Amino acid sequence: MAQRVVVDGSQPRPQPGQLVHSRREIATFVNDVRQFSLYVQALQIYYDRVRTDVVSHWQIGGIHGQPYVDWNGTPSGGRGYCVHRTPLFPTWHRPYIVLFEQEVQKIAREIAAAYTHDRPAWEEAAAALRQPYWGWDNIATVVPPLQVTTSPTVNIVKAHSPTPVSVPNPFLTYAYPAGANSVFSPPFNIWPRTTRHPDASGNSQPALLRAALEAVGPQIVNNTQRLMSITTWDAFTLGSAGTTGLEGIHDTIHVQTGGQNGNMAFVPVAAFDPIFYLHHAQVDRVIDLWYSRHRVWTANTDDLLPFRRTQTAYWKSPEIIDNSGVFNYSYGGIVNVQSESGEGAAVDEQSAASMGTNLEWSVRVECKEYEIGGSFSVYVFMSNEVPSNQAEWLFHPTFAGTFDVFANPHPEECANCSAHADETIKGFIHINKKYLERSKKATLDPAVVIPYLKEHISWAVVKANGEVADIHKFSSLKVTVICMPLTLTDGAHYPVEGHPKIYPEITRGRVGGSELE
């Protein structure tokens, strides 16, 4: 029997009493000369592995979607291992990122052993190397550093000289093995490498990427903080009665990072983009933060295919709660989440929100995930009509937020997607700040808010290929305004959700508006 790849984390394992090494935020990581130099070199070697190698980037990236082939001897029936829109979404991605991490770190240790200057320090740096994360829960780091988004080259120190040298930047893109991408759908079968916000020729446009992330950054940060109010696993993953779940926040990052026809916005090819692993390391960090607060985990014991614990057994969700003990990585220090205003609220301090009960107004968006074909965004504006220039929507003064859906354009190719094809999903755009800014009102009282919103709310839908969808043909779309009471008690870190009040009259009678409830 062939030896199979086992997911067990970075090496060496710590001795008793030793600390487990931490994953670091990417903006900090790029300033560590040794770890950054090792990671950049290791990433390029990893990319260059032949595509028949089970631990090549071509094969590991393909676990997430196309080309829908069995990985590491685990049958998939040719329809993938997808667990999106299920309570296994958080736990399935944990061993996936560990697999990537352990392969890159293994290469980094081999590189460090060849250094001819200060070798012990380089070997120590390699032993401590863990996958960096992209801290999109903090307004200061919601846009990654230039080394991740923009710089065509980076400076590193190589094995035979302490003098820095310039090398191509492997954070920007991954070039597919020659001809391998012919199995993809257009345009990815034509473009030879991964892209973000590409132009018509498939060239990434980093300025558009950074602008998009800056525009949706406050929403991402605020939604992440609101996530901490949720106390059950399923609601944490898929959303509560009043706020978007972890997978929905994750979707916004995917769709806005990929942009029109970019890899990250398309489920089958997203995991080939190097930024995918920075993003999902952060998703994992938010899981760690939420679990440390609530001590709640899924009881589901399904195998997390195709990630092996041993040669004959697969990991299960209850076995991977302790990331430090099981997979040899941690998240050091206090995790900091931000309020919508950008004012930090560390998790070991009481929330900056006012004590007592406060009203949170939100636009709830509901729809069927696969109705319009692939990923899409519902844009909400605090105006009586949608702005005419689509290119300006994210940056328009009336822009209130997006509900982004990271959906497979060909759900029939994916077993899990097919199983959930007829289900309704939901997300929330919290609008207190935009309402107060645009209305010039000083109250969130329903008697004042409702008349204003009736005259100042609109929405539109854009597909991931840039096409504006005809919402007359989007029959499952339902946009409703709700008001959620949030109660913060003395000594609590986060407010508790009450029972939302639904105001269908605000959007009733509009295309895609609310129905009677």
Side-chain angles (χ1 to χ4, degrees), residues 111-354:
I111 294 169
Y115 270 68
T116 58
H117 55 94
D118 206 7
R119 182 184 301 164
W122 287 94
E123 291 182 325
E124 182 179 347
L129 181 64
R130 298 295 183 270
Q131 171 61 24
Y133 63 86
W134 165 14
W136 39 250
D137 61 319
N138 189 320
I139 203 68
T141 51
V142 74
V143 180
L146 294 174
Q147 293 92 329
V148 172
T149 64
T150 308
S151 304
T153 60
V154 290
N155 292 327
I156 64 170
V157 174
K158 288 191 162 186
H160 300 297
S161 171
T163 303
V165 296
S166 178
V167 299
N169 184 0
F171 282 98
L172 294 188
T173 188
Y174 162 68
Y176 308 116
N181 61 315
S182 63
V183 300
F184 296 160
S185 301
F188 305 105
N189 62 337
I190 300 170
W191 296 337
R193 61 184 64 247
T194 61
T195 63
R196 303 169 195 156
H197 288 261
D199 62 18
S201 299
N203 301 305
S204 293
Q205 300 179 91
L208 294 183
L209 164 63
R210 296 181 67 84
L213 293 173
E214 186 172 346
V216 298
Q219 167 185 322
I220 293 165
V221 169
N222 187 48
N223 284 353
T224 307
Q225 182 169 17
R226 274 289 280 113
L227 200 58
M228 299 303 143
S229 298
I230 298 176
T231 58
T232 67
W233 181 265
D234 285 5
F236 164 68
T237 302
L238 302 172
S240 70
T243 199
T244 301
L246 177 62
E247 187 166 4
I249 298 169
H250 144 277
D251 283 10
T252 292
I253 295 289
H254 266 284
V255 173
Q256 298 299 335
T257 299
Q260 180 178 332
N261 286 326
N263 282 70
M264 278 286 281
F266 286 76
V267 175
V269 295
F272 294 106
D273 188 329
I275 207 170
F276 176 96
Y277 301 89
L278 298 174
H279 169 40
H280 272 278
Q282 166 68 4
V283 170
D284 186 74
R285 175 174 169 264
V286 174
I287 298 166
D288 200 57
L289 164 62
W290 186 85
Y291 176 75
S292 71
R293 175 61 52 199
H294 298 290
R295 296 294 170 182
V296 174
W297 198 260
T298 180
N300 186 296
T301 57
D302 290 349
D303 287 341
L304 300 177
L305 303 177
F307 308 114
R308 294 178 184 266
R309 179 173 58 85
T310 67
Q311 289 295 309
T312 57
Y314 296 93
W315 287 108
K316 301 177 187 294
S317 298
E319 297 171 338
I320 61 171
I321 298 174
D322 178 13
N323 50 285
S324 296
V326 175
F327 290 133
N328 194 21
Y329 72 89
S330 67
Y331 297 101
I334 294 174
V335 179
N336 192 55
V337 290
Q338 303 275 321
S339 69
E340 189 175 27
S341 65
E343 298 171 354
V347 300
D348 64 345
E349 298 175 1
Q350 188 160 312
S351 170
S354 301

Side-chain angles (χ1 to χ4, degrees), residues 71-92:
W71 184 78
N72 195 31
T74 301
S76 67
R79 303 186 73 197
Y81 306 104
C82 168
V83 296
H84 293 98
R85 309 296 172 216
T86 78
L88 291 181
F89 162 79
T91 53
W92 184 88

Side-chain angles (χ1 to χ4, degrees), residues 345-346 348-353 355 488-493:
D348 64 345
E349 298 175 1
Q350 188 160 312
S351 170
M355 296 291 292
L488 185 68
T489 58
D490 188 24
H493 296 277

Side-chain angles (χ1 to χ4, degrees), residues 250-507:
H250 144 277
D251 283 10
T252 292
I253 295 289
H254 266 284
V255 173
Q256 298 299 335
T257 299
Q260 180 178 332
N261 286 326
N263 282 70
M264 278 286 281
F266 286 76
V267 175
V269 295
F272 294 106
D273 188 329
I275 207 170
F276 176 96
Y277 301 89
L278 298 174
H279 169 40
H280 272 278
Q282 166 68 4
V283 170
D284 186 74
R285 175 174 169 264
V286 174
I287 298 166
D288 200 57
L289 164 62
W290 186 85
Y291 176 75
S292 71
R293 175 61 52 199
H294 298 290
R295 296 294 170 182
V296 174
W297 198 260
T298 180
N300 186 296
T301 57
D302 290 349
D303 287 341
L304 300 177
L305 303 177
F307 308 114
R308 294 178 184 266
R309 179 173 58 85
T310 67
Q311 289 295 309
T312 57
Y314 296 93
W315 287 108
K316 301 177 187 294
S317 298
E319 297 171 338
I320 61 171
I321 298 174
D322 178 13
N323 50 285
S324 296
V326 175
F327 290 133
N328 194 21
Y329 72 89
S330 67
Y331 297 101
I334 294 174
V335 179
N336 192 55
V337 290
Q338 303 275 321
S339 69
E340 189 175 27
S341 65
E343 298 171 354
V347 300
D348 64 345
E349 298 175 1
Q350 188 160 312
S351 170
S354 301
M355 296 291 292
T357 299
N358 298 278
L359 299 180
E360 178 187 66
W361 289 88
S362 304
V363 176
R364 184 183 69 193
V365 181
E366 299 170 289
C367 62
K368 290 184 178 178
E369 179 174 1
Y370 301 108
E371 183 177 348
I372 62 173
S375 300
F376 60 92
S377 299
V378 180
Y379 284 74
V380 173
F381 303 93
M382 201 71 67
S383 60
N384 61 357
E385 61 181 19
V386 174
S388 58
N389 186 350
Q390 180 199 341
E392 297 178 354
W393 283 1
L394 274 176
F395 320 108
H396 198 274
T398 64
F399 171 67
T402 59
F403 167 61
D404 302 282
V405 179
F406 182 52
N408 195 323
H410 301 288
E412 70 282 357
E413 296 178 355
C414 162
N416 179 66
C417 304
S418 298
H420 294 87
D422 203 43
E423 294 180 4
T424 296
I425 59 173
K426 69 177 185 295
F428 299 83
I429 299 165
H430 304 306
I431 60 173
N432 279 15
K433 184 178 180 182
K434 182 58 67 172
Y435 162 76
L436 293 170
E437 171 193 308
R438 297 297 301 174
S439 70
K440 309 300 182 185
K441 309 291 185 183
T443 178
L444 296 172
D445 188 287
V448 179
V449 175
I450 293 171
Y452 182 85
L453 291 183
K454 282 184 176 180
E455 301 296 329
H456 296 88
I457 194 165
S458 56
W459 55 88
V461 180
V462 179
K463 299 180 183 181
N465 64 5
E467 176 188 346
V468 177
D470 182 352
I471 60 175
H472 292 84
K473 298 178 180 179
F474 196 176
S475 61
S476 66
L477 178 66
K478 186 167 71 169
V479 178
T480 310
V481 175
I482 73 165
C483 184
M484 172 70 78
L486 298 176
T487 301
L488 185 68
T489 58
D490 188 24
H493 296 277
Y494 296 98
V496 175
E497 291 185 345
H499 296 288
K501 173 69 174 176
I502 300 167
Y503 294 96
E505 66 269 25
I506 294 176
T507 60

